[in-house]
Amino acid sequence: MNKKLKTFLILIVSMFVIIGGLYGYKRYKEYDTYKKDAVFLLDFLEDNYPFFEVKEKTLNYNFLDYKEELVKKISKSKNDTEFIKNVSLTMNLLQNNHSRVSFNSIIFNNSDLDDSDVNLKEKTEYWADKYLKTAYIPEIKFKYVQGKYIVTKSKNKEVPVGSMITKFNGKSVSDYLYDNKEIYYLLKDSKRDQYYIYEDFYFKRDSSPDNIEIEYNNEKINSTIHYDPYSKEGEEWYYGNFTNSSDNNILLDIVDEGKAAYIKIRSFDGEYMTENEKTIQKFLLNECVDVDNIIIDIRGNTGGNNKFGEFLIAALSDKPLYMSTYDCFKDTKFMDEYYFSKMLNQEEINESQIPNNNYDLNNFKIYNKDIIINPYGNSIKFKGNIYVLVDDMVYSASEYFISIVKNTKFAKIIGTTTGGDGLGREPIATLLPNSKIAIQFSSSLSMNSDGVVNEEVHTEPDIYIEQDLNDYLEYLNPGLDNIERSEYDTVYNKVIDMLK
């Protein structure tokens, strides 16, 4: 081998060694950074998250059994996109809809999140962009109705609207969803012992297709569902073009031949509250004094501001309503900084003072909280019947309202079991130390006055009525935009029949 060729080969080999070394060093630095955040995240959740025992009871799994496995998975992320995906999947495994990776500036402000070394807004936008790269939109939507998984929207000609999904990848739909609880937020139909998800929560985190079996016109059909990378167009197709606003957040009407008032509230969002309260107050004072019944429809209302529900009670009631609850916080330094030092006019109690408690609260601080709602001076002091329509999407602030309604017997609750987690405080957040990803979580294990954990049992209606499957399939045929108060709205129509 001549000298020049030998020198050239040595240079090439040296260059590859240097490049390989630089790449290896870069991967080591990434691994080290990811691992430090992973260890911080899992340790932080173990110390502060209040619902591990709840989820072990309701979902039959212990999150902390997977702690080391989750640290390894996050640490071995190949890049930032995979890292944010693995962090968010870990948060999803908590199976609490308040607990997740957060891009919400309101949560940041409530939690006093700040970091003088970085621009938190820019960091959040960076991670939000990476997060969207891990979202994949399916070519169908489905909704759980009376134990069946009904296709409500489809781009796949082999899977028509109205067909029933019976299997996912050879498993029952319930088993498939349970086995993928790091992706999907699960709800439980205790009546049928089946898991399901909200209709709008069927996004996936990769593009791998799923094989499904459907039933349509008494025929079994096998097909494949594909998933497209997130796009604005895909999102618009999936969710539709309805945009909520102060104007369409509420619907007020006199029904049942003038005998009943109907109040629909889509959201308790604080942004709409001031204007909506004025409109509702005027409606109550001007049109509801002589009605026999008032129907408050909060189906689909996922919460917002607790004050919205309190307003409804204060505008209708003729006497103060009282409810005693219990807030149980993990006894940690973090929680001390955020809560214990700010607990004003709340009594700290011990575990033995909670009635019917069946939870281990040794590592918790417990506070008794009294909720008192006084009627407004211009309350209509309604003496007739009040009915509140609910479903599984009633959550957070709307769950807070319905918990008060249930405990004080302020109204009859009609519909299905609600979504839960409504008695605690607003979610709080912290930053992962290296990536500056914000995670938010429910801070308190909150109990009703009878000592029952709201996140475990949610709220059962006084009268259980669910959407009828045949009515729903009939609704899908003409392609109506909204089932509410149509001839196919089983719950509403049964309530109207009850009033006659």
Side-chain angles (χ1 to χ4, degrees):
M1 183 182 296
N2 64 51
K3 190 174 181 181
K4 286 185 177 179
L5 179 59
K6 187 175 180 181
T7 302
F8 176 74
L9 289 174
I10 290 171
L11 287 171
I12 291 294
V13 170
S14 299
M15 186 169 64
F16 275 111
V17 169
I18 291 169
I19 292 171
L22 289 173
Y23 176 76
Y25 178 73
K26 179 175 180 291
R27 283 293 299 130
Y28 168 76
K29 290 293 287 182
E30 285 179 337
Y31 174 82
D32 187 53
T33 299
Y34 295 159
K35 184 174 182 179
K36 285 177 179 174
D37 274 4
V39 171
F40 174 88
L41 173 63
L42 272 298
D43 285 347
F44 179 87
L45 292 173
E46 182 174 13
D47 289 344
N48 296 285
Y49 184 69
F51 290 143
F52 292 126
E53 191 177 354
V54 173
K55 298 307 173 181
E56 192 165 7
K57 288 183 178 184
T58 58
L59 294 174
N60 197 32
Y61 87 102
N62 187 333
F63 176 92
L64 293 176
D65 288 346
Y66 302 91
K67 179 180 176 181
E68 293 307 315
E69 180 183 327
L70 293 169
V71 168
K72 288 178 183 177
K73 183 176 181 179
I74 296 171
S75 302
K76 291 181 179 179
S77 301
K78 294 183 177 68
N79 50 49
D80 281 358
T81 301
E82 189 169 297
F83 177 68
I84 185 70
K85 173 183 173 180
N86 287 332
V87 170
S88 64
L89 290 176
T90 297
M91 293 301 294
N92 288 352
L93 268 174
L94 295 172
Q95 284 295 307
N96 171 264
N97 223 9
H98 280 135
S99 304
R100 57 183 182 269
V101 171
S102 181
F103 308 109
N104 187 338
S105 60
I106 296 174
I107 296 293
F108 296 176
N109 293 336
N110 289 343
S111 303
D112 297 325
L113 286 190
D114 194 16
D115 193 309
S116 58
D117 295 329
V118 298
N119 184 319
L120 194 54
K121 182 174 182 293
E122 288 182 3
K123 270 289 184 183
T124 302
E125 289 172 353
Y126 172 82
W127 287 116
D129 179 67
K130 295 294 184 186
Y131 178 85
L132 286 178
K133 287 179 169 58
T134 74
Y136 290 81
I137 301 175
E139 58 188 1
I140 67 166
K141 285 182 74 170
F142 65 88
K143 181 178 176 65
Y144 186 78
V145 182
Q146 266 195 331
K148 306 295 183 183
Y149 306 86
I150 308 300
V151 176
T152 60
K153 200 177 239 189
S154 178
K155 294 179 180 178
N156 187 329
K157 293 180 181 178
E158 296 179 352
V159 186
V161 170
S163 56
M164 300 181 192
I165 304 174
T166 53
K167 288 185 179 178
F168 254 97
N169 297 331
K171 300 178 180 180
S172 71
V173 183
S174 177
D175 286 346
Y176 167 81
L177 295 173
Y178 182 84
D179 291 345
N180 287 277
K181 53 186 171 288
E182 78 278 9
I183 302 174
Y184 306 116
Y185 174 66
L186 302 179
L187 296 120
K188 181 76 176 285
D189 178 355
S190 299
K191 184 177 179 181
R192 300 176 179 88
D193 195 27
Q194 291 188 150
Y195 294 104
Y196 66 101
I197 58 175
Y198 292 130
E199 181 182 12
D200 286 342
F201 277 33
Y202 176 44
F203 276 35
K204 204 173 176 182
R205 306 306 296 275
D206 62 54
S207 61
S208 59
D210 287 316
N211 297 317
I212 65 169
E213 178 187 270
I214 64 169
E215 287 184 9
Y216 188 67
N217 290 337
N218 297 317
E219 181 183 356
K220 289 187 182 295
I221 302 169
N222 292 309
S223 187
T224 301
I225 298 302
H226 298 93
Y227 301 81
D228 294 323
Y230 171 85
S231 66
K232 276 291 183 184
E233 295 78 13
E235 182 184 44
E236 287 173 6
W237 174 83
Y238 189 81
Y239 289 115
N241 56 12
F242 176 81
T243 302
N244 205 12
S245 67
S246 179
D247 291 338
N248 60 24
N249 187 51
I250 58 174
L251 173 64
L252 310 174
D253 197 7
I254 299 298
V255 298
D256 191 29
E257 299 176 344
K259 298 176 186 174
Y262 176 81
I263 302 172
K264 171 69 181 182
I265 308 174
R266 304 185 193 284
S267 170
F268 282 173
D269 193 324
E271 182 183 349
Y272 313 138
M273 191 166 63
T274 301
E275 288 302 315
N276 285 174
E277 286 182 359
K278 290 177 184 176
T279 305
I280 293 171
Q281 188 90 62
K282 184 177 178 181
F283 175 73
L284 292 175
L285 291 169
N286 294 343
E287 301 187 50
C288 299
V289 176
D290 295 325
V291 299
D292 298 322
N293 306 285
I294 293 178
I295 302 167
I296 301 172
D297 188 350
I298 59 169
R299 291 176 295 172
N301 186 323
T302 57
N305 192 315
N306 287 352
K307 296 295 183 183
F308 209 137
E310 292 179 358
F311 153 77
L312 291 172
I313 294 171
L316 290 168
S317 183
D318 62 346
K319 60 186 177 183
L321 294 188
Y322 301 88
M323 178 180 173
S324 184
T325 66
Y326 305 95
D327 281 338
C328 309
F329 303 93
K330 296 294 279 293
D331 189 2
T332 66
K333 180 181 178 182
F334 177 85
M335 297 307 297
D336 181 50
E337 291 174 354
Y338 276 98
Y339 277 122
F340 307 147
S341 59
K342 303 172 186 177
M343 286 291 184
L344 301 175
N345 302 319
Q346 278 195 232
E347 178 190 3
E348 184 176 356
I349 63 173
N350 61 53
E351 186 176 347
S352 64
Q353 293 174 266
I354 300 176
N356 306 313
N357 171 51
N358 61 354
Y359 278 85
D360 178 5
L361 299 176
N362 284 331
N363 297 318
F364 286 79
K365 277 195 172 184
I366 308 165
Y367 292 86
N368 180 225
K369 180 175 69 176
D370 290 326
I371 299 169
I372 304 171
I373 304 175
N374 292 303
Y376 288 150
N378 61 351
S379 167
I380 65 171
K381 298 179 173 55
F382 189 68
K383 300 293 187 183
N385 302 308
I386 302 173
Y387 303 93
V388 184
L389 310 190
V390 300
D391 62 8
D392 52 20
M393 292 190 74
V394 170
Y395 190 78
S396 192
S398 53
E399 174 74 14
Y400 169 82
F401 166 66
I402 213 66
S403 295
I404 297 172
V405 169
K406 178 79 171 184
N407 278 266
T408 62
K409 300 184 177 6
F410 173 74
K412 285 279 187 188
I413 302 170
I414 301 176
T416 56
T417 307
T418 60
D421 202 14
L423 288 179
R425 310 281 174 146
E426 288 186 348
I428 56 175
T430 192
L431 294 173
L432 301 188
N434 291 297
S435 62
K436 306 305 177 186
I437 291 172
I439 59 157
Q440 67 172 65
F441 66 102
S442 274
S443 56
S444 69
L445 180 82
S446 297
M447 301 179 178
N448 300 324
S449 55
D450 57 3
V452 173
V453 175
N454 180 262
E455 176 67 351
E456 178 187 349
V457 301
H458 306 179
T459 300
E460 291 293 334
D462 299 308
I463 302 173
Y464 189 95
I465 303 175
E466 58 186 344
Q467 175 63 46
D468 179 76
L469 176 61
N470 291 325
D471 283 348
Y472 193 79
L473 292 173
E474 287 293 322
Y475 151 71
L476 290 175
N477 286 334
L480 296 177
D481 289 336
N482 195 338
I483 195 173
E484 288 174 1
R485 297 206 302 161
S486 71
E487 61 184 297
Y488 310 110
D489 185 347
T490 312
V491 177
Y492 174 80
N493 288 318
K494 283 191 175 182
V495 171
I496 293 297
D497 287 343
M498 284 168 45
L499 303 183
K500 294 179 179 177

